[in-house]
Amino acid sequence: MDADLRRRLRQADLLTALRILQAVDVARHRRDDFTATIQPVQEGSRMSNWLLDAEERFAGVRAMADELIRRLGELGPGETLEFNAADLDAQYEAELGGLDALEALYAVQFLGLANVARGESEVGGVFYLRRGEQRRYGKAAYRPLEVHYGERARRLHVIRHILSHEKEEDRIDLFRWYFTISLEQFCKRFLPNPEAATSPQIPEFRERILGGLSETQLKVVTDDESRAILVLAGPGSGKTRTIVHRVANLVALRDVNPERVLVLAYNRTAVAEVRERLAALIGASGIHVDVLTFHGLARKLTGLTEKNAPAGMQGDDRFNWLIQQAVDHLRDNPAPYQYVLVDEYQDIKGAEYDLVTLLASFDREGAPTGEEEDDREQPGYLVAVGDDDQNLYAFMGAKIEFIQRFRDDYDITDEKVVALLPNYRSRPRIVQAANAFIEASLPARARLKGPDQRVYSVRDGEGQVYIGKYQQRYHAALGIAQRAAQLIAQGTPAEEIAILARNWDHLNEVQHALHEAGVAYQMYNVHDQLRPANSYVGGAVRDVLTEEPELAVENARETLERIRQQLSLSDQDRGWQAILSATADLHNTIQGALALRINSAKPLARRGVVLSTFHSAKGSEFDHVFILSEGMREHGRTPPEDETRALYVALTRARESVTLLRREGDCHPTLLQPGYQHALKDIGVEVMSLPTGTPLPSEIRYQLFPDPSDLYISAPDVLFPAGREAVLRYARNWDSLQLRNLQLRSPHGAVGRLSRNGRIMLKLKHALERGQVTATGATVLRCERDDEWYTRAGYTGLETHHYVVLPQFEVIALLEG
DNA sequence: TATAAGATTCTTTTT
DNA sequence: GAATCTTATA
């Protein structure tokens, strides 16, 4: 441990001591960056009571932890225990004297017995517990907790000893010693009974946060002087890990108020991941850290939602408006956060960029003009983590310039740009192939990483890179299906195999081939709108549950089925099946928890080989990755930067092997460059031969998932009473769904029709003409009011929403090139 | 019916 | 920004 770190840790100790003094009403302290003022409060403080409390508290935590451990023991591996905090408090209040549930959660987390994650619901904070690694809960398991509480208690003993001296000079002298020598030394030297001081403090905790990090990661995690740090992180270099550990360091080791810390992530999945990992690292104390999406932050700051946008705005404009409201809000109000961490900084857009700038209090135009010194805004500390090579959303305004401008914006030296280069994900050959690809595709000026800043693999072995070429996409699909089946037969989980393409419809042939080979697959696009909670049956059942959130539920499935039958809704809805499987493990809970589980249920069971676009694969990783490169003109001399970065993202998703297949005639131009091909040869890639001799079928079969914009419901169909009744009748009596003349018909009448403007029309054109589109399932989906849509349909009702029957199609289509 | 010009689509997140 | 589909015009 270097001297600097040691000095900082003493500061943390000081702050702990000050907090204790304040907590027991002995002294008050005011704190700014450099000084702390201590004021005595009064004689006869509650110090001794507090010590007694501390002992009781430990006994209480132990009792409650016992109970949690008992319930955890009943869980199977991977199962989750779910409850709300108020419920837990109420349950244990009587026996444990008002013990704070958070403390007990912290305890089981701290002991490594469980992973605690936090969620929000209508019924308040809800916690999810999952069994930790540790299986046996012997006496030894409690030792770290005892050490922790023992350390806190020792500090109290020391302070009480100091305060017991009558003369002020003595007290000052002892305080000086307290801050000069270690706690252990102090106890030995001054305490009448130093036995209590034999235990160390809590090295396990510090080790968990700071140990196991690379030197560079540690630098970012522990730097609390730099106002702005840009972390240029390569793929698989531990971006999120660095962010999570920095937050943990701030909150758990540096005593920063968690409410002053903000983590911005790019979507809900990323938010959930940061929250989970933070909870796993520091437990309950991480709960007060804000981990939000940009829109979540905008909602929190302004109290508005995109629905407050002026009438006439729709879709994207509403969301942009919301971000802009937050920017305006921050111009007039001080930033509520002091430590801001931004993930995936390369993909932030203009308004989001402004938001970050204001949050970090770096806005030069609107420099604070506080009349009083005390009102001066505290300085912000910004850490932005991103990789310009992985910029995927330039077409939406996420320009690479924002990350390039970082240095100028924040007036920082080059040293403050930290490069995280080791790749912990991919085997060496994969990293080398990806490096060679991006270096051959982009000129040095288009990249922030210099020639001496190459990503390198720290994994052992070599890994495999295969290349291949095809004329017919069908042949590539056949080859991939064969290899996937082979890998699965050899024991690779299907979910660890991904097939990635530029566009969704490039994967149609792959769907067909996988189906023929009997390999299960999943489409990786999760339309938020398709959430089971958004289905008519799911929403209706959830609403019944939340009417009495505290009501006990013995068997989740029975309760759900009972409510569904009372509402006389069909069980054939796609969403309903998903809800049943998402709640299958819930027993002996309350209705509120069940409702929450419905809210977070995923559309489909995530099983089988993953089919995804390059874009949707952002942030994911797989053992084996197959890539289709097509859809570009070859004779373009300089490859388009967007497409290069997208393909680079695809290449770097792979851990063990990557197979890069190019279509002759329109693959990414770099793949044809002699220089690049030589580089691949040096790396040791193998050529994958595809079954190009196989005769082509005349038709292929694949699944197609429309979204609500593909459906056009004309006035009599849905918006007016007859149509609404037809849809709701369908939700009760579920029969086959047929598509005739673009009209979606149930035996009870028309329930919708395909939109002529929807994107699906184009894709289905030929299949529709030949009548080879069949509905294989459907969900009755809630659609929020969309004024543009209503106007087009000639409707002016006041409802906030309506329902549509959203089918899932199987298409038999002519084979494309 | 060729060809140019113009329009649209592709990649997608946010509740 | 490129590919692809639609429309206008000789």
Side-chain angles (χ1 to χ4, degrees), chain A residues 270-291:
Chain A
V271 163
E273 194 187 330
V274 171
R275 275 205 186 132
E276 259 166 48
R277 285 166 71 165
L278 196 58
L281 197 58
I282 58 168
S285 44
I287 278 165
H288 299 288
V289 174
D290 270 343
V291 185

Side-chain angles (χ1 to χ4, degrees), chain A residues 291-364:
Chain A
V291 185
L292 301 167
T293 60
F294 278 96
H295 291 83
L297 174 68
R299 291 177 71 140
K300 183 160 183 172
L301 287 177
T302 63
L304 300 165
T305 79
E306 70 284 349
K307 284 178 192 157
N308 299 107
M313 261 188 200
Q314 350 76 28
D316 283 0
D317 292 342
R318 278 192 206 159
F319 287 111
N320 294 337
W321 172 86
L322 182 58
I323 299 284
Q324 197 51 52
Q325 293 306 300
V327 171
D328 294 345
H329 175 92
L330 279 179
R331 285 196 208 287
D332 304 333
N333 299 283
Y337 303 99
Q338 195 176 3
Y339 295 88
V340 178
L341 300 95
V342 188
D343 202 358
E344 305 281 2
Y345 191 77
Q346 79 279 1
D347 276 333
I348 64 165
K349 286 166 267 183
E352 293 168 349
Y353 173 87
D354 294 343
L355 202 54
V356 171
T357 308
L358 287 161
L359 276 172
S361 316
F362 273 106
D363 178 37
R364 293 208 198 83

Side-chain angles (χ1 to χ4, degrees), chain A residues 45-53 160:
Chain A
S45 66
R46 309 195 316 244
M47 175 67 77
S48 54
N49 292 341
W50 205 97
L51 272 177
L52 283 176
D53 282 352
R160 183 166 68 159

